[in-house]
Structure formats: structure tokens, C-alpha cells
Amino acid sequence: MRLGKTEEKRDSILQAAAKVFSKKGFYQARIEDISREAGVGKGTVYEYFSSKEALFKNMLVDLNREHFETVYEGCPPMGSVVRRLEKILVLHFKFIENQRDVGRLLIESHFSLGKEIHLWLWELQLEKIKDLAKIIDAGAAQGEFRRDVDVYLAAHIVFGAVAAVSGMIIMEEIPSGKLENLARNTLALVLRGLKVDT
Amino acid sequence: MRLGKTEEKRDSILQAAAKVFSKKGFYQARIEDISREAGVGKGTVYEYFSSKEALFKNMLVDLNREHFETVYEGCPPMGSVVRRLEKILVLHFKFIENQRDVGRLLIESHFSLGKEIHLWLWELQLEKIKDLAKIIDAGAAQGEFRRDVDVYLAAHIVFGAVAAVSGMIIMEEIPSGKLENLARNTLALVLRGLKVDT
Amino acid sequence: MRLGKTEEKRDSILQAAAKVFSKKGFYQARIEDISREAGVGKGTVYEYFSSKEALFKNMLVDLNREHFETVYEGCPPMGSVVRRLEKILVLHFKFIENQRDVGRLLIESHFSLGKEIHLWLWELQLEKIKDLAKIIDAGAAQGEFRRDVDVYLAAHIVFGAVAAVSGMIIMEEIPSGKLENLARNTLALVLRGLKVDT
Amino acid sequence: MRLGKTEEKRDSILQAAAKVFSKKGFYQARIEDISREAGVGKGTVYEYFSSKEALFKNMLVDLNREHFETVYEGCPPMGSVVRRLEKILVLHFKFIENQRDVGRLLIESHFSLGKEIHLWLWELQLEKIKDLAKIIDAGAAQGEFRRDVDVYLAAHIVFGAVAAVSGMIIMEEIPSGKLENLARNTLALVLRGLKVDT
DNA sequence: AATGAATGAGTCTTCATTCAT
DNA sequence: CATGAATGAAGACTCATTCAT
């Protein structure tokens, strides 16, 4: 299962890109910063990625894959959808917390990038929302969730709620130990709502 | 009630800035684009704002004020907090819808800007969240909302939810006529949650 | 002998120009600095002088006139040329010392200005050198100076020597009380030379 | 003894800088002029020098070194200090004449530059004056020069005199053949002074 | 395959000058 | 006459990208 030398170098560049882009944002990050961080020459970056934008996109795709593998695959469908959601939230918050800088990029769904790349990012986010929609749909099918809700809308709402709390974790530097509780509370609110039970 | 000529020009530059920054993002926007959009010379922009960054910040502050006046002040406390929230949501969604470009900037709380300005933006957002927290707190005090929720967390969640739906409105170009319904549904979900009533 | 209001304003602009140009040099000085220093509007400067360069030249001409009046006219031909030279040196050094900033400009015969203005400055300096040559010539005619010297060359040498000592006065902030002595020593060297008498 | 390619390029930029700065002065010279003169791209200049000012300073330091090597090192202490001075003057005048443009910069001790760089230039000049003072001091020690003169003052005077004559050479385009004679005459005046021997 | 020196297009910002009031 | 708001030409500097080694 060893990666070829080539694959290794490609990876180290992506790692470096994640670090530098996260810290400085797309426009402030310089290719040279990234190449130095990766310990390779500036020209080498262009051996593996055709442009700064391509590198950026690849980095995000990579990050998403890692996020997906950590959060969803590390948490397959199980009996209760609610339980699964709770587990997903915990894993997600931990992922965020483990990789502050990198996590910031995942939350920052919006960038001051050109329109084209902006749309591309929206697509990326939409996919996550659709994954969420499937889960919610499953919950409705199993009778755990109300059937009178617009699943697509609900997915957006849950996504936004989770993103906002993720931002809170990063910006307010919530300590690791409180994440499980935070996940539970967040989910509780999303599931039961604000209103007093009637 | 006439604005001085000077104030008028300052305003037209801010208007133009909102338009151009929204469309292109901070780094892609050129001062010249903005000055042309405003119908003034390039140098004139610098008569009113000391730098591109200063213009950007001023523009956001301005936008926030407008948003605040439209949404919150256009919707003072009333008997029911739930009713007030619903009204706020409708106004907010309409504000978003009316000024797609401009609205995009309000949602895009995160930019690929330098760390400093990024923090400044976070502060701006936090203020909005705190406004929300006050409303929720009032709801709890009046017995409309459950008392066992962390108000600060709840405010983040509502904020995130609303932001996500706002993004949906902009990106999927939801027609104006459906906004009231969308506001109702969003609020319903936030208030009652996903789970089936027990 | 009262100056008209107009003349007064023109003068205050020239004063301000001398101050600001001296402190910052031609390119670093901004017309606005000068107008503010003069207590007039920016546009007013252009009522009196057609351009920055014209203002600069006028200011130097003015300064030269003042210098000439102070130094040469305040010291008409008299019996001994040597005595006259000594008096001239004292007056010159005092002029320099009195108006450090302004004096600096007189010494700084060379500027990083465009070729054209540079030549003009050289002419200004050459006139002073020619005045000096006349004095030396008179000294030779009176038998005080050697007749075998090239008067024109000698004038350059004296001019350079005096300029260098003037620079010393400004840069090393020689106190006022030592100027007379310095003038005497400078003149002694110029008159008797370095070499031991044979 | 071959310079590395890199060193070569650095040098050609310095050469070009000397030429362009000399001709146009600091503020009128454009980096692009210099880069074109050097036959390199605009960006390349910044590979070697961090800013226009840094380039300017480096160029002057370089020039000074060259001047020093040509004039002083090409003329080591010998029996007679007077002889040495005469040789130095000849070499100096030839250096000036050989590199009119470049020489102009050496003479133009004063520029319309910011205060900071101005001070730096004064230091540069002061060093030369101190070198001169050492020579004069040696002359006094050897009994060739009078002992009752202030060596530091004398050095300033000689420096100023030489600078003024150098200016004459450049501005009046004294032909090469007359330089030796000019050096002799200049030195004679400096050594014996203007006054008739008593 | 890897490098980094070289490049020049692109942009913010300054400031002399103009001109409507 | 006096003003200062408006202008836009000009230039230092950055950095993605290329390419000879």
C-alpha cells in the first residue's frame, strides 16, 4: 500500500497548500509560500498542478474526501437516525477542532473568489447538503422525523446550524472536552426546536 | 432632508463599492471598476476613503446599518416573540432577495482576506448573533421558548440556519412570491425541530 | 512702502515654499504642504505661480536675492580685499546659520532634478562664482593676491571651500559664537594655503 | 576570476542604475528605465534589490568603492605628501572625466531626497573627508604642511575645492588633455593660497 | 523529474493641476 | 480673487507562470 515517491510529493504539496491557504486565504497565499512549506521548488508545484486555482480546487476536493471519510464512513447507517446524527456531529466537530486551520476552510464556504470558482464551491457544499438530506429522509422514512417537513429545506437548516456552531468552535476555541456535549445540545435544538412543547 | 453634495458622492461610491465587491470579491475588485461604476474619477475614491480596505470596511458597516434598519427597526418588539421572529425572517429574506449581490456579501461572512480583516468580519457577525440571542432570551422570558436551552448556542444555530436558507434563495433564485412561505417553514423547523412530537 | 495684499500673499507662499522645499526636497514636497504652510488654499498657489517648478525657481531666485543683499550689499568694496572677504565670509556663515533649512538649499547646488532645472541651478551658482571672481580679480589688481593664478579657477576653489564649510556648519550644528573664528580660519587657509612657508 | 552569472547580472543592473540615476536623478529615474538599460525584466531588478532606494544606495556604495580603488589605492603613500596629493587629484579628475554621468553623482553630494537618505549621503561624504584629513595630517607630521591648521577644517576646504573644480570639469567639458595641468594649478592654490608671498 | 531565476502584466496609490463655485 | 473637490497620469512593486539547466 506504499505510495510512490511521486504520490508522496503530490501529497506533501496538498498538505502545504491546505495549511497556507487556510492561514492566508486564496489571494494572500503565494505559490512560493506553499512550495517552501512543502519543501520543494516553486517549479515543482507546477509539475503536479497546472495553476494556483487548480491546486486550490484539488486541495479542497482532497480535504472534502478526508472529511467525508472521517465523518460519514466512520459512521455508517445504524438503527436510529438520531443516534447516527449525533455521532456524525461529534465526529464533525472533532474533525473541525483537530484541524482548526483546515477546518476553517471547510466552513468558509464562501470566499471572495471569482464567480466561477465561487459556483464550484457552492456545488461542493450542495453535495454535503444532499448527503444530509438523504439522512434526514431516512429518518422520516423510519418514522423518527416528521413527514411534513421539506427535507431539502431541513437539510439546509441543519447544515447552516452545524456550520455556525463549527465557526463558534474555531473562533471561540471551545476546548476539546466540551465537544460531545455541544454536539448533543446542538442536535437537541435541531430536533426539538426552540418552542416549548405544547 | 437633502444630503450635501459631498455626502451624496460618498454614498454613490459606497453603492458602487457594494456592487463591485459583491460581484467580484475583495481581491478581484479594482478600485477603477468601483470609481467608474460610481461615475467618478479614480482619485476621487481616495478623497473619501483612505484605502481599498477602508472602503471595503465602510461599505460593510453601511450595509449592516441598512440591514439592521430594514429588518430589526422595521420590526419592533411586539406581543409574541414568535410572531416577531417570523416577521424578521420575512423582512430578512426580502432584503436578501432585493439585493442579491449585496445580500451575498452579508451571508458570505467569510472571505479570503487577511487574518486581521477576517477577525473584524467575525466581530460584525457576532453582533448580529447577539441581537438574535436577546430576542430568543425575551422569548424564553415570556414563556414562549424552552428555558433549558443555551441561548447563545441557540442564537448561533438560528443564525446559521437563516444564513444557509439565505444562500439557497440567492443561489437557487427562489422567486419572490415564495419567500413568505419559506420564512414560515424555516421558522417552523427552527421552533418545532425535526423530531416527531412525542 | 507697504506691500499690497497681493504682494504679501505672494511672499508668504514663497516663504512657505522655502521652508517646505528645504525640509523635504523638490520631489517630496507637496504643493498642498506649501499651501497649508502659507495658510492659503491649494488653488491660490497657482494664482501666483504657474507650476511647482516655477514656484521652486522663484523661491530660489528670491533666496538668492536675499543672500546677495545680506552678504554682498551689506559689505561694499573697501580698502582691503582681504578684509572684505573676511567680512563676506562672516556674513555668509551667519546667513547660513540663521536659516539652516533655507541655507541647506543654497548649498545643495545639486539636486536630483531633471536636467533642465539642473542646468538652471548651475547657472545660478555660476553667477555667484563670477561675483567671487570679480572680487579676487580686484585683489590681484590691488596687489594683495598673486597675479599668476587663474582667477576663474580660484573663484571655483573658494566657492567650493566655502560651500563645504557651510555644509559643516549646518550638519554639525556649529554654534553661532564660533562662526567668526571659523570664517577667519577658513580664509587664512584659502589665502595662505596648506604648505609651510618657505 | 570569473563572476558567477548571478553576480554578473547584479553588476549590470548596478551599472544601468548608475547611468540612469545619474542622468535623471533619483525621482525622475524609473525602475523600468533601469531594467531596460540593463537588458533585464522589471521584476528582475527586485530579485536583486528590495526597493528603488536600496538599489540607489547600493549603486552609490559600489561607485564609492570603485572611486576609492581607483584614486586612493591606485596611489599609495609615498615620500612626499604633496606629490601624492597631486597624483590623487589627477586620478580623481580623470575618474570624473571618464564617467561624466557617474561622476556627477559623486559630486552631487546633495540630493532632493528624503532626510534619512540625505543623512546617509552626508556620512558617505564625511568618510571621504576623513580620508583626506588623514593625508593632510601625515603631511603636517612630515613637516610639509603647516602645523597650525585645523586638519578637519582643512580637509573640508580641500574637499570642497576639489568638488567645485570637478563640477567645472563636468559642466564646462574641460578636455582630457588639460586635466593634469588643472590638477597642478588647483593643488598649487590649495597649497600656497591666494595671497602674495610676504 | 526538479529547480528557481527571470519575466511583465496588473493594481493600488500619489499628487500636480484644473475649474466650478 | 480664493478655494478645494475632482481628476487621471504615472510608477513602484507583487507574484503567477515559464523555461533553461
Side-chain angles (χ1 to χ4, degrees):
Chain A
M1 255 312 181
R2 302 245 268 112
L3 296 166
K5 272 235 166 169
T6 282
E7 202 60 29
E8 245 173 45
K9 194 157 286 190
R10 200 189 123 96
D11 256 35
S12 72
I13 292 172
L14 281 169
Q15 291 274 333
K19 197 161 176 180
V20 177
F21 278 133
S22 304
K23 215 171 306 208
K24 309 218 194 184
F26 182 74
Y27 286 103
Q28 294 296 55
R30 294 183 298 118
I31 290 287
E32 194 167 357
D33 297 338
I34 294 171
S35 73
R36 193 166 305 158
E37 177 75 35
V40 302
K42 211 189 324 180
T44 308
V45 172
Y46 284 86
E47 290 289 325
Y48 292 89
F49 305 95
S50 60
S51 70
K52 189 184 184 184
E53 190 170 319
L55 173 58
F56 183 73
K57 283 185 177 177
N58 270 283
M59 179 269 289
L60 277 186
V61 167
D62 215 59
L63 215 52
N64 257 294
R65 198 174 29 67
E66 200 185 337
H67 179 257
F68 185 82
E69 284 168 6
T70 306
V71 173
Y72 287 78
E73 298 193 342
C75 188
M78 49 178 67
S80 160
V81 171
V82 170
R83 285 269 169 80
R84 188 175 176 217
L85 268 181
E86 190 180 308
K87 233 179 149 183
I88 284 179
L89 250 66
V90 171
L91 288 175
H92 171 77
F93 287 163
K94 284 190 173 162
F95 182 88
I96 293 292
E97 204 254 348
N98 270 330
Q99 326 204 14
R100 284 178 185 293
D101 291 336
V102 152
R104 180 171 291 131
L105 265 184
L106 267 182
I107 304 160
E108 286 170 14
S109 331
H110 307 283
F111 304 80
S112 51
L113 300 168
K115 198 142 211 166
E116 204 187 354
I117 203 170
H118 200 275
L119 281 173
W120 182 84
L121 281 165
W122 176 259
E123 297 301 333
L124 217 63
Q125 173 172 320
L126 212 54
E127 265 178 54
K128 301 231 146 191
I129 290 176
K130 281 175 182 164
D131 287 337
L132 217 45
K134 275 183 213 153
I135 294 177
I136 293 171
D137 208 36
Q142 281 184 231
E144 288 184 86
F145 295 157
R146 285 191 279 117
R147 288 173 193 263
D148 60 341
V149 304
D150 175 343
V151 173
Y152 189 60
L153 175 63
H156 271 88
I157 286 173
V158 175
F159 183 90
V162 170
V165 177
S166 301
M168 203 174 97
I169 291 171
I170 288 176
M171 300 305 288
E172 313 206 340
E173 312 200 8
I174 308 289
S176 190
K178 297 193 170 173
L179 292 186
E180 297 214 3
N181 211 32
L182 190 60
R184 238 188 310 278
N185 290 339
T186 301
L187 193 59
L189 263 165
V190 167
L191 293 182
R192 296 184 52 206
L194 279 172
K195 221 163 49 173
V196 292
D197 299 326
T198 45
Chain B
M1 255 310 184
R2 300 247 268 113
L3 295 166
K5 271 240 162 164
T6 280
E7 202 59 28
E8 242 173 47
K9 193 153 288 188
R10 201 189 122 96
D11 257 34
S12 74
I13 292 172
L14 281 170
Q15 291 275 332
K19 196 161 179 180
V20 177
F21 278 134
S22 303
K23 213 171 308 209
K24 309 217 192 185
F26 181 76
Y27 286 102
Q28 294 298 56
R30 294 183 301 119
I31 289 287
E32 195 167 358
D33 298 337
I34 293 171
S35 73
R36 194 165 306 160
E37 177 73 36
V40 301
K42 208 188 325 179
T44 307
V45 173
Y46 285 88
E47 290 287 324
Y48 292 89
F49 305 94
S50 59
S51 70
K52 190 183 183 184
E53 189 170 320
L55 173 57
F56 183 72
K57 283 185 177 178
N58 270 283
M59 179 267 289
L60 278 185
V61 167
D62 216 58
L63 215 53
N64 258 293
R65 202 176 26 69
E66 200 184 339
H67 179 258
F68 184 82
E69 284 167 7
T70 307
V71 173
Y72 286 78
E73 298 192 343
C75 188
M78 49 177 68
S80 161
V81 171
V82 170
R83 284 266 170 81
R84 188 174 176 218
L85 267 182
E86 192 180 306
K87 231 177 153 183
I88 284 178
L89 250 65
V90 172
L91 287 175
H92 172 78
F93 287 162
K94 283 190 173 162
F95 182 88
I96 293 292
E97 204 252 348
N98 269 332
Q99 326 205 15
R100 285 181 184 291
D101 291 337
V102 152
R104 180 172 292 130
L105 265 184
L106 268 184
I107 305 159
E108 285 169 14
S109 331
H110 306 281
F111 305 81
S112 51
L113 300 168
K115 199 141 213 168
E116 206 187 353
I117 203 171
H118 200 275
L119 280 173
W120 182 84
L121 282 165
W122 176 260
E123 296 300 332
L124 219 61
Q125 174 171 320
L126 211 54
E127 266 178 54
K128 302 230 145 188
I129 290 176
K130 282 176 183 163
D131 286 338
L132 218 47
K134 275 183 215 153
I135 295 178
I136 294 172
D137 208 37
Q142 282 183 231
E144 288 184 84
F145 295 156
R146 286 192 279 118
R147 289 173 192 262
D148 61 341
V149 303
D150 175 343
V151 172
Y152 190 60
L153 175 64
H156 272 88
I157 287 173
V158 176
F159 183 91
V162 171
V165 178
S166 301
M168 204 175 95
I169 291 171
I170 287 174
M171 299 306 288
E172 312 206 341
E173 312 198 9
I174 307 289
S176 189
K178 297 193 170 173
L179 292 185
E180 296 215 4
N181 212 33
L182 189 61
R184 239 188 310 279
N185 290 339
T186 301
L187 192 60
L189 263 166
V190 167
L191 294 181
R192 294 186 53 208
L194 279 172
K195 223 164 49 174
V196 293
D197 299 327
T198 45
Chain C
M1 257 306 183
R2 302 244 268 115
L3 296 167
K5 272 235 165 168
T6 281
E7 201 59 28
E8 245 172 45
K9 196 158 284 191
R10 200 189 122 96
D11 255 35
S12 73
I13 292 172
L14 281 170
Q15 292 273 334
K19 195 161 178 178
V20 177
F21 278 133
S22 303
K23 216 171 305 211
K24 308 217 194 185
F26 181 76
Y27 286 104
Q28 295 295 56
R30 295 183 297 117
I31 289 287
E32 195 168 356
D33 298 337
I34 293 171
S35 74
R36 194 165 305 157
E37 177 75 36
V40 303
K42 210 187 330 179
T44 307
V45 173
Y46 283 87
E47 290 289 326
Y48 292 89
F49 305 94
S50 60
S51 71
K52 190 185 183 183
E53 191 172 316
L55 173 58
F56 183 72
K57 283 185 178 179
N58 270 284
M59 179 267 288
L60 278 186
V61 167
D62 215 58
L63 216 52
N64 258 293
R65 201 175 27 68
E66 200 185 337
H67 179 257
F68 185 81
E69 284 167 6
T70 307
V71 173
Y72 287 79
E73 298 192 342
C75 188
M78 50 178 69
S80 159
V81 171
V82 169
R83 286 267 169 82
R84 188 174 178 219
L85 267 181
E86 192 180 306
K87 233 177 149 183
I88 284 177
L89 249 67
V90 171
L91 288 175
H92 172 76
F93 287 162
K94 282 190 175 162
F95 182 88
I96 293 293
E97 204 254 348
N98 269 332
Q99 325 203 16
R100 285 177 184 294
D101 292 336
V102 154
R104 179 171 290 130
L105 265 185
L106 268 184
I107 304 160
E108 286 170 12
S109 331
H110 306 281
F111 304 81
S112 50
L113 302 167
K115 198 144 211 165
E116 205 187 354
I117 203 171
H118 200 275
L119 281 174
W120 182 84
L121 282 165
W122 176 260
E123 297 301 333
L124 218 62
Q125 174 172 318
L126 212 54
E127 266 178 53
K128 302 229 144 193
I129 291 176
K130 281 176 182 163
D131 287 339
L132 218 45
K134 275 183 214 153
I135 294 177
I136 294 172
D137 209 35
Q142 283 183 229
E144 288 184 86
F145 294 157
R146 287 192 275 115
R147 287 172 194 264
D148 61 340
V149 303
D150 176 342
V151 173
Y152 190 60
L153 174 63
H156 272 86
I157 286 173
V158 175
F159 183 91
V162 170
V165 177
S166 301
M168 205 173 96
I169 290 171
I170 288 175
M171 299 306 289
E172 311 205 343
E173 312 198 9
I174 307 290
S176 189
K178 298 194 171 173
L179 292 186
E180 296 214 4
N181 212 32
L182 190 60
R184 238 187 311 278
N185 289 339
T186 301
L187 192 59
L189 264 166
V190 167
L191 294 182
R192 295 184 54 206
L194 279 172
K195 220 164 49 173
V196 292
D197 299 326
T198 45
Chain D
M1 256 308 182
R2 302 248 269 113
L3 296 166
K5 272 240 163 166
T6 280
E7 202 60 29
E8 243 173 47
K9 192 153 287 187
R10 201 190 121 96
D11 257 35
S12 72
I13 293 172
L14 281 170
Q15 292 274 334
K19 197 161 176 178
V20 177
F21 278 134
S22 303
K23 214 171 307 208
K24 309 218 192 183
F26 181 76
Y27 286 102
Q28 294 297 56
R30 295 184 301 121
I31 288 288
E32 196 167 358
D33 297 337
I34 293 171
S35 74
R36 195 166 303 159
E37 176 73 35
V40 302
K42 206 189 330 178
T44 307
V45 173
Y46 285 89
E47 290 286 323
Y48 291 89
F49 304 96
S50 59
S51 69
K52 191 184 184 183
E53 189 170 319
L55 173 57
F56 183 72
K57 283 186 177 179
N58 270 283
M59 179 266 288
L60 277 185
V61 167
D62 216 58
L63 217 52
N64 258 295
R65 202 176 26 68
E66 200 184 337
H67 178 258
F68 185 82
E69 283 167 6
T70 306
V71 173
Y72 287 79
E73 298 192 342
C75 188
M78 48 178 67
S80 160
V81 171
V82 170
R83 285 266 171 81
R84 190 176 175 216
L85 268 181
E86 191 180 308
K87 231 177 151 183
I88 285 178
L89 249 67
V90 172
L91 287 175
H92 172 77
F93 287 162
K94 283 192 173 160
F95 182 88
I96 293 293
E97 203 253 348
N98 269 331
Q99 325 204 15
R100 286 181 183 290
D101 292 336
V102 152
R104 180 172 292 129
L105 265 185
L106 267 184
I107 305 160
E108 286 170 12
S109 329
H110 306 282
F111 304 83
S112 50
L113 301 168
K115 199 141 213 166
E116 207 188 353
I117 204 171
H118 201 276
L119 280 173
W120 183 83
L121 282 165
W122 175 260
E123 297 299 333
L124 220 61
Q125 173 173 319
L126 212 53
E127 266 178 51
K128 301 230 145 191
I129 290 176
K130 282 175 183 164
D131 286 339
L132 217 46
K134 275 184 214 153
I135 294 178
I136 293 171
D137 209 35
Q142 281 184 230
E144 290 184 81
F145 295 157
R146 285 193 278 116
R147 286 170 196 266
D148 60 340
V149 305
D150 176 341
V151 173
Y152 190 60
L153 175 64
H156 272 87
I157 286 173
V158 175
F159 183 91
V162 170
V165 177
S166 301
M168 205 174 96
I169 291 170
I170 288 175
M171 299 307 287
E172 312 205 341
E173 311 199 11
I174 307 290
S176 188
K178 298 193 171 175
L179 293 186
E180 296 214 5
N181 212 33
L182 190 59
R184 237 187 312 278
N185 290 340
T186 300
L187 192 59
L189 263 165
V190 167
L191 294 183
R192 296 185 52 206
L194 279 172
K195 222 165 48 174
V196 291
D197 298 326
T198 46

